[in-house]
């Protein structure tokens, strides 16, 4: 029995490749905003994500807080995806990507060029420009974008092999704000790995993204700000697995009218 | 020589970026550097001269989403 369960788990492994590399599980977990490093560690162990996202900030020589964080991440042994969070210009984002490549030893970068303060909406024009520069320099760019099809086309044309559309504004917990747009993006780029990044609040949002055919989700605030982050991390893992299985199982077609599930034929005539 | 490091002014004797990091106590730290807004790879720090008033950024791994 144990063997069979193990086999099933193997079947659930992602076959989608992100720049030629499979993730061990289609969940990307952010490392920010946890109440403590220990709770972050517990959440990562519960979620067992395919990657964790990390960032860069100024380091004071006397405090060296970054060094302690880096030790924790290394100890967890999960691949890292550095971001350019907080960058508002192409130059800032490109320079941050260069620094991240050196510090983290990876050419993967989650590219954020923020355009608007209230929604933290991507500046898609700056994003495309930064993605072009970084792709030409050999970076493997994971662009944080909107569900706009034309922007997606431009990002792919300049070398991106993955797209990360938002579900809702970062940290809002609203879930998939534009299901129609996300479905259109999935249908339009069937072969491109797509990750819903940002805005998910509860596990069912993640399941929905996977059911729509998205290849992975990225979550941070939903886990970090939960009352019990480790429990929520586990819940998201289960939801991702459920959504992925549901998608693979080929869901039924929706319809407007009822259709009896119990066979009508052979029913006793009692009128 | 006065150098701005992460927006704090330091009066230093270092004349290269590598020496500056040493002088300020960053030895062995996992960091990346930028000088006047331009990335300086670790291998170039020793041959990157400083001049009065330059701005240095020193960054390290941090939590991110």
């Amino acid at each position: 029995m144990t063997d069979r369960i193990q086999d099933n788990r193997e079947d659930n492994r992602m076959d989608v490749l992100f720049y030629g590399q499979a993730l061990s599980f289609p969940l990307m977990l952010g490392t920010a905003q946890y109440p403590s490093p220990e709770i972050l560690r517990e959440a990562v162990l519960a979620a067992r994500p395919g990657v964790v996202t990390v960032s860069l900030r100024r380091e004071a020589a006397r405090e060296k807080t970054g060094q302690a964080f880096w030790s924790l991440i290394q100890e967890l042994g999960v691949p890292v995806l550095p971001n350019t969070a907080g960058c508002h210009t192409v130059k800032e984002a490109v320079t941050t990507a260069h620094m991240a490549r050196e510090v983290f030893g990876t050419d993967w970068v989650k590219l954020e060029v923020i355009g608007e303060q209230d929604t933290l909406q991507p500046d898609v024009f700056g994003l495309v420009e930064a993605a072009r520069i970084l792709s030409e320099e050999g970076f493997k760019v994971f662009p944080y974008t909107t569900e706009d099809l034309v922007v997606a086309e431009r990002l792919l044309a300049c070398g991106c092999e993955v797209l990360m559309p938002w579900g809702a504004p970062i940290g809002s917990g609203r879930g998939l704000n534009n299901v129609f747009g996300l479905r259109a993006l999935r249908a339009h780029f069937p072969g491109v790995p797509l990750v819903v990044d940002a805005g998910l609040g509860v596990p069912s949002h993640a399941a929905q993204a996977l059911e729509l055919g998205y290849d992975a989700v990225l979550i941070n605030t939903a886990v970090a700000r939960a009352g019990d982050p480790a429990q929520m991390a586990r819940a998201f893992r289960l939801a991702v697995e459920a959504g992925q299985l549901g998608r693979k199982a080929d869901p039924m077609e929706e319809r407007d009218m009822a259709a009896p599930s119990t066979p009508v034929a052979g029913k006793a005539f009692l009128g | 020589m006065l150098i701005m490091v992460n927006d704090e002014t330091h009066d230093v004797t270092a004349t290269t970026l590598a020496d500056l990091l040493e002088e300020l106590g960053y030895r062995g730290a996992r960091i990346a550097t930028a000088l006047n807004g331009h990335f300086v790879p670790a291998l170039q720090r020793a041959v990157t001269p400083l001049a009065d008033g330059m701005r240095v950024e020193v960054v390290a791994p941090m939590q991110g989403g």
Side-chain angles (χ1 to χ4, degrees):
Chain A
M1 191 61 196
T2 311
D3 285 349
R4 287 192 61 184
I5 289 171
Q6 191 60 42
D7 284 345
N8 286 344
R9 288 194 176 167
E10 290 297 320
D11 287 346
N12 295 344
R13 280 254 172 103
M14 268 192 97
D15 36 22
V16 174
L17 297 179
F18 296 82
Y19 291 97
Q21 202 171 313
L23 298 186
S24 63
F25 190 71
L27 174 59
M28 301 179 173
L29 185 66
T31 55
Q33 303 185 78
Y34 292 82
S36 71
E38 179 55 25
I39 292 175
L40 164 62
R41 196 180 73 83
E42 287 170 8
V44 172
L45 292 175
R48 287 182 283 143
V51 299
V52 288
T53 56
V54 291
S55 196
L56 286 176
R57 285 293 177 270
R58 284 172 167 174
E59 180 84 329
R62 49 192 179 278
E63 290 156 11
K64 295 206 175 76
T65 50
Q67 310 309 306
F69 171 68
W70 180 237
S71 299
L72 170 63
I73 293 300
Q74 281 186 302
E75 187 189 306
L76 290 166
V78 182
V80 297
L81 174 60
N83 69 24
T84 64
C87 292
H88 287 75
T89 66
V90 172
K91 181 175 179 297
E92 263 187 310
V94 168
T95 303
T96 301
H98 285 143
M99 294 197 285
R101 178 161 65 179
E102 184 173 270
V103 164
F104 294 109
T106 175
D107 49 14
W108 283 22
V109 62
K110 185 188 138 187
L111 181 61
E112 295 184 29
V113 183
I114 299 301
E116 207 277 322
Q117 207 47 49
D118 286 333
T119 58
L120 299 179
Q121 175 162 344
D123 167 1
V124 293
F125 306 99
L127 179 70
V128 169
E129 175 64 8
R132 186 187 59 74
I133 293 168
L134 292 171
S135 296
E136 282 172 3
E137 292 177 354
F139 281 88
K140 298 182 169 64
V141 178
F142 293 64
Y144 168 60
T145 184
T146 66
E147 65 276 31
D148 188 290
L149 296 178
V150 180
V151 173
E153 193 79 67
R154 297 282 164 87
L155 289 168
L156 296 173
C158 67
C160 295
E161 295 180 18
V162 176
L163 298 172
M164 301 185 74
W166 61 352
I170 296 172
S172 69
R174 295 174 55 85
L176 307 184
N177 252 356
N178 181 2
V179 172
F180 172 80
L182 290 169
R183 189 178 280 137
L185 189 70
R186 176 69 289 175
H188 213 76
F189 302 103
V192 177
L194 298 179
V195 183
V196 170
D197 176 7
L200 304 189
V202 288
S204 56
H205 295 154
Q208 187 187 12
L210 273 288
E211 286 165 7
L212 286 177
Y214 277 73
D215 299 295
V217 292
L218 193 157
I219 45 169
N220 190 158
T221 311
V223 168
R225 291 291 192 211
D228 183 341
Q231 188 98 305
M232 189 58 86
R234 178 165 155 70
F236 265 98
R237 182 180 171 90
L238 292 171
V240 165
E241 194 168 354
Q244 191 184 31
L245 267 181
R247 172 72 177 187
K248 280 187 180 171
D250 189 14
M252 63 170 280
E253 292 288 328
E254 244 183 57
R255 47 185 294 158
D256 288 334
M257 295 297 158
S261 49
T262 304
V264 178
K267 180 185 173 298
F269 180 71
L270 303 171
Chain B
M1 173 160 54
L2 294 180
I3 301 288
M4 292 280 281
V5 180
N6 291 349
D7 268 352
E8 275 183 28
T9 306
H10 293 262
D11 192 356
V12 297
T13 57
T15 54
T16 67
L17 183 54
D19 289 345
L20 174 77
L21 296 174
E22 184 74 23
E23 187 174 335
L24 295 181
Y26 285 103
R27 179 192 283 196
R30 198 172 188 96
I31 51 169
T33 50
L35 186 62
N36 287 348
H38 298 282
F39 170 58
V40 180
L43 289 173
Q44 286 178 26
R45 288 175 196 154
V47 292
T48 301
L50 297 177
D52 201 44
M54 279 184 160
R55 288 180 299 111
V56 173
E57 291 288 328
V58 181
V59 296
M62 192 54 62
Q63 294 84 347

